Amino acid sequence: MTSQVSSQAEQADGAVVGEQRKAAGVKDVRRLDRVIIRFAGDSGDGMQLTGDRFTSETASFGNDLSTLPNFPAEIRAPAGTLPGVSSFQLHFADHDILTPGDAPNVLVAMNPAALKANVGDLPRGAEIIVNTDEFTKRAMQKVGYATSPLEDGSLDGYHLHPVPLTTLTVEALKEFDLTRKEAERSKNMFALGLLSWMYHRPTEGTEKFLRSKFAKKPDIATANIAAFRAGWNFGETTEDFAVSYEVAPAVKAFPVGTYRNISGNLALSYGLIAASKQADLPLFLGSYPITPASDILHELSKHKNFGVRTFQAEDEIAGIGAALGAAFGGSLAVTTTSGPGVALKSETIGLAVSLELPLLVVDIQRGGPSTGLPTKTEQADLLQAMFGRNGEAPVPVIAPRTPADCFDAALEAARIALTYRTPVFLLSDGYLANGSEPWRIPELDELPDLGVQFAQGPNHTLEDGSEAFWPYKRDPQTLARPWAIPGTPGLEHRIGGIEKQDGTGNISYDPANHDFMVRTRQAKVDGIEVPDLEVDDPHEASTLVLGWGSTYGPITAAVRRLRTAGRSVAQAHLRHLNPFPRNLGTVLQRYDKVVIPEMNLGQLATLIRAKYLVDAHSYNQVNGMPFKAEQLATALKEAIDG
């Protein structure tokens, strides 16, 4: 009763304060714990840039965040059409979050196509900001609107804010020597300014960014800044936006440290550079541009000062061939690609297995098969990474779970490759690659020592007592062969894809030797030391949710919802997929039910069922988008109760 009276008193006081603020011309400010915003428009409207700038300012403010860029595969789809819609979703909060959010609280729609493509994702009561200048009869008919959705009542369930963004932008820039078309291009900055006012985002970083981006065109920089400020001022002065919102920094979500916003591809690039420095080896990337892996090539090409060498090859086969040659020459060698490129690289990956040289194969998975969905995400390359080569050619496979985790996963992939002299698959995907989150920049003493010892001289005594170098004489612990730099006197040895004789490396067609070499290469991979699987099970549940890769965020968010609702459920997430952690079988046997959500048709579930004879249940989605937390929570609840 006391709390009820107190609450009523607070509401009355709040109403009085609200009336006082309104009388003084001051707008209300409401505190929220989290917000999900989606910017949507034509692929030429700058929605990715707008979302990225809003994200950067949100990161600098100290919120936890997660993003989901979503853009068409076409370089320039027809303007105003549904296939041409590009969007950027950002979820930010004053506490720890794990996903870009299920449904936006705010949609900024730059044209009818953007509205129609996204309105179905909005919950009732969401805010919609539309650029009314684009809602012409022709533009609406192009996407199937018989009548204007701004006037026919179809949006009555939402808070609609009709704003003539284009007109306001052109009016704000009339003093500049710009054509109307040039002025219209700044409407995304007007929208960014408006949203920055609504959510009290910092502005200095964006203005600094614009001056830098258009340093060679200062007039364009000044115009964009003017449009940005005009959007802010419009929010401050218009009566249509009576309330602004505050989302406090997520102080308790982050351990002490220095943070920055980072995407998965950028984190992976930094991880590769860090690995090369920790190994004291030059980094070589042999790559062919392919969505969504190309950003790694772009980023690494900027870091020659760290000993990085990038080679943009004429095709996928040339890219990995050059990388394998660099590995033979003593570099930390990397090749990057997406699913279709892995198929082209498969023969050279098999050669790397035969040569037993360290090579990182980075696969940023996308929707398939074949060309498939270049700008959408999927987890469907796991079995290809495991088995997609001729003969018995085992390759370690690891997968990051968040954009920031791509940094640590790159270091781990390098550790395995260098220690065990083997190619290693690193399986990221489009969701991680393009998404972003805060990342704590590690201290140098937190990074692993990846130092390697090259062969220096003879390592074997022949029957006649003379010393010789055997290129396939193995370390008894790791079964790794020596890494001999070509040109080192006395370390000359044969190289090639035909089967090696054990120890000497000479060509061998002997059946018994081939059997021994096949089993030895498999034993080397099976013997790789990986950490035990950690299980999050505070209530001794009977159901385990097992995931891998980018499903970590949605699974964890779903598990949290179930536990809040009183359900008991355990969670574990695999980073190492080949070999599996040694305790995985024991973990699986502890649970009555094992549920494996995947963005494929059940590839990890197939491996788990085959290896451990566990009746694992698959929950699958292959629509090119990540799981939604509520969707997963519902499916897991049914699995628990079923």
Side-chain angles (χ1 to χ4, degrees):
M1 186 68 178
T2 304
S3 62
Q4 182 179 0
V5 172
S6 175
S7 175
Q8 290 173 345
E10 288 173 359
Q11 291 177 9
D13 290 344
V16 172
V17 171
E19 290 300 322
Q20 292 173 342
R21 291 173 60 87
K22 187 179 295 184
V26 179
K27 295 189 176 185
D28 284 344
V29 179
R30 295 179 187 171
R31 175 66 62 88
L32 303 175
D33 64 344
R34 67 186 186 94
V35 174
I36 304 168
I37 298 175
R38 183 181 296 175
F39 298 93
D42 266 338
S43 56
D45 282 338
M47 294 296 93
Q48 302 304 318
L49 174 63
T50 305
D52 183 68
R53 288 314 314 160
F54 195 93
T55 299
S56 295
E57 298 297 354
T58 297
S60 69
F61 187 74
N63 296 119
D64 195 10
L65 62 90
S66 180
T67 68
L68 178 63
N70 186 13
F71 36 85
E74 291 81 359
I75 294 174
R76 187 66 176 95
T81 63
L82 293 175
V85 174
S86 174
S87 68
F88 188 105
Q89 183 163 309
L90 165 68
H91 182 192
F92 61 102
D94 65 2
H95 57 278
D96 174 35
I97 58 172
L98 297 154
T99 74
D102 289 357
N105 308 114
V106 181
L107 171 66
V108 180
M110 303 298 280
N111 60 22
L115 177 65
K116 187 161 191 176
N118 292 281
V119 70
D121 293 337
L122 302 180
R124 289 292 173 176
E127 296 195 67
I128 304 176
I129 301 171
V130 295
N131 179 14
T132 55
D133 289 324
E134 294 296 323
F135 278 73
T136 63
K137 183 177 180 180
R138 182 167 180 268
M140 289 187 288
Q141 289 178 341
K142 189 182 293 187
V143 295
Y145 280 128
T147 60
S148 172
L150 309 184
E151 301 171 355
D152 63 8
S154 60
L155 300 178
D156 286 350
Y158 308 99
H159 296 294
L160 180 65
H161 301 280
V163 180
L165 286 172
T166 305
T167 299
L168 290 172
T169 303
V170 172
E171 178 65 20
L173 302 183
K174 62 182 180 180
E175 64 185 73
F176 294 88
D177 186 20
L178 299 173
T179 65
R180 180 179 176 85
K181 187 174 183 180
E182 289 173 333
E184 288 178 359
R185 289 175 183 164
S186 296
K187 64 181 180 289
N188 63 324
M189 288 297 104
F190 189 100
L192 178 59
L194 172 58
L195 268 292
S196 297
W197 171 83
M198 282 183 66
Y199 293 97
H200 295 245
R201 298 298 92 184
T203 60
E204 295 81 3
T206 293
E207 294 191 8
K208 182 179 179 181
F209 167 82
L210 290 171
R211 291 189 183 95
S212 174
K213 180 177 176 64
F214 299 106
K216 296 181 179 179
K217 298 179 179 179
D219 291 344
I220 299 297
T222 305
N224 275 280
I225 292 171
F228 176 66
R229 291 175 177 174
W232 176 284
N233 293 333
F234 177 78
E236 182 70 29
T237 57
T238 183
E239 295 182 2
D240 192 32
F241 293 91
V243 179
S244 64
Y245 304 92
E246 284 186 351
V247 181
V251 178
K252 297 180 180 179
F254 305 121
V256 176
T258 302
Y259 286 80
R260 60 156 293 166
N261 183 51
I262 201 165
S263 68
N265 273 350
L266 184 57
L268 201 153
S269 300
Y270 287 175
L272 294 173
I273 296 171
S276 76
K277 303 307 291 184
Q278 293 302 106
D280 195 23
L281 296 174
L283 177 63
F284 180 90
L285 173 67
S287 182
Y288 177 76
I290 182 171
T291 300
S294 300
D295 285 341
I296 301 172
L297 171 62
H298 302 159
E299 182 61 33
L300 289 180
S301 67
K302 303 174 184 177
H303 297 287
K304 296 181 179 65
N305 55 314
F306 286 115
V308 179
R309 295 295 177 267
T310 52
F311 169 55
Q312 181 174 317
E314 64 270 28
D315 56 41
E316 297 280 6
I317 299 171
I320 190 173
L324 185 57
F328 179 54
S331 292
L332 176 59
V334 184
T335 189
T336 53
T337 190
S338 186
V342 175
L344 293 167
K345 295 178 187 291
S346 62
E347 182 181 6
T348 307
I349 297 171
L351 176 59
V353 172
S354 176
L355 300 182
E356 300 186 52
L357 287 170
L359 174 67
L360 303 186
V361 181
V362 178
D363 177 11
I364 312 297
Q365 300 166 96
R366 73 188 203 189
S370 188
T371 303
L373 305 171
T375 60
K376 308 302 179 183
T377 194
E378 208 163 274
Q379 285 184 301
D381 293 352
L382 176 57
L383 294 183
Q384 179 177 223
M386 289 286 291
F387 306 118
R389 294 162 295 283
N390 66 295
E392 296 287 345
V395 173
V397 181
I398 71 172
R401 63 187 189 179
T402 68
D405 188 49
C406 289
F407 178 87
D408 294 315
L411 284 164
E412 176 65 358
R415 178 191 72 85
I416 293 173
L418 295 172
T419 303
Y420 296 91
R421 310 285 195 267
T422 177
V424 176
F425 259 102
L426 179 56
L427 290 183
S428 179
D429 61 41
Y431 173 39
L432 296 184
N434 297 319
S436 61
E437 65 176 350
W439 171 58
R440 187 181 70 84
I441 301 172
E443 300 294 335
L444 286 177
D445 58 9
E446 296 175 348
L447 301 179
D449 180 5
L450 302 179
V452 297
Q453 184 65 48
F454 291 113
Q456 301 297 320
N459 61 358
H460 184 74
T461 303
L462 301 175
E463 292 181 0
D464 62 5
S466 61
E467 298 291 318
F469 174 67
W470 276 17
Y472 284 83
K473 185 169 185 175
R474 302 178 183 279
D475 181 289
Q477 297 298 319
T478 64
L479 298 183
R481 76 174 187 90
W483 195 358
I485 301 299
T488 306
L491 302 188
E492 297 84 358
H493 59 283
R494 283 192 173 92
I495 206 79
I498 297 178
E499 184 61 284
K500 317 291 184 295
Q501 183 183 54
D502 179 42
T504 69
N506 295 330
I507 293 173
S508 174
Y509 293 95
D510 178 66
N513 178 78
H514 177 56
D515 184 273
F516 178 80
M517 293 295 285
V518 167
R519 295 178 186 275
T520 299
R521 288 188 288 261
Q522 183 66 58
K524 181 173 69 171
V525 172
D526 291 341
I528 292 172
E529 290 290 335
V530 303
D532 279 350
L533 180 66
E534 296 182 0
V535 182
D536 176 20
D537 185 5
H539 305 114
E540 297 186 359
S542 60
T543 299
L544 172 70
V545 186
L546 182 67
W548 70 277
S550 67
T551 56
Y552 173 77
I555 289 175
T556 306
V559 166
R560 287 181 181 178
R561 294 187 185 196
L562 290 173
R563 289 176 180 170
T564 300
R567 300 281 174 168
S568 180
V569 60
Q571 177 189 2
H573 209 78
L574 289 166
R575 164 173 284 182
H576 297 87
L577 298 156
N578 191 33
F580 286 129
R582 283 169 173 70
N583 69 331
L584 177 55
T586 304
V587 168
L588 295 172
Q589 292 299 329
R590 296 207 306 256
Y591 295 93
D592 297 334
K593 295 179 182 177
V594 177
V595 183
I596 304 179
E598 299 181 76
M599 292 189 294
N600 56 47
L601 293 182
Q603 297 189 14
L604 175 61
T606 297
L607 296 174
I608 294 295
R609 292 169 70 95
K611 185 173 179 65
Y612 299 103
L613 304 181
V614 170
D615 187 19
H617 301 271
S618 283
Y619 182 74
N620 309 115
Q621 172 179 295
V622 279
N623 62 6
M625 299 294 289
F627 284 113
K628 294 182 178 179
E630 185 60 33
Q631 163 198 1
L632 265 184
T634 301
L636 295 178
K637 179 179 179 293
E638 293 174 355
I640 294 170
D641 295 341

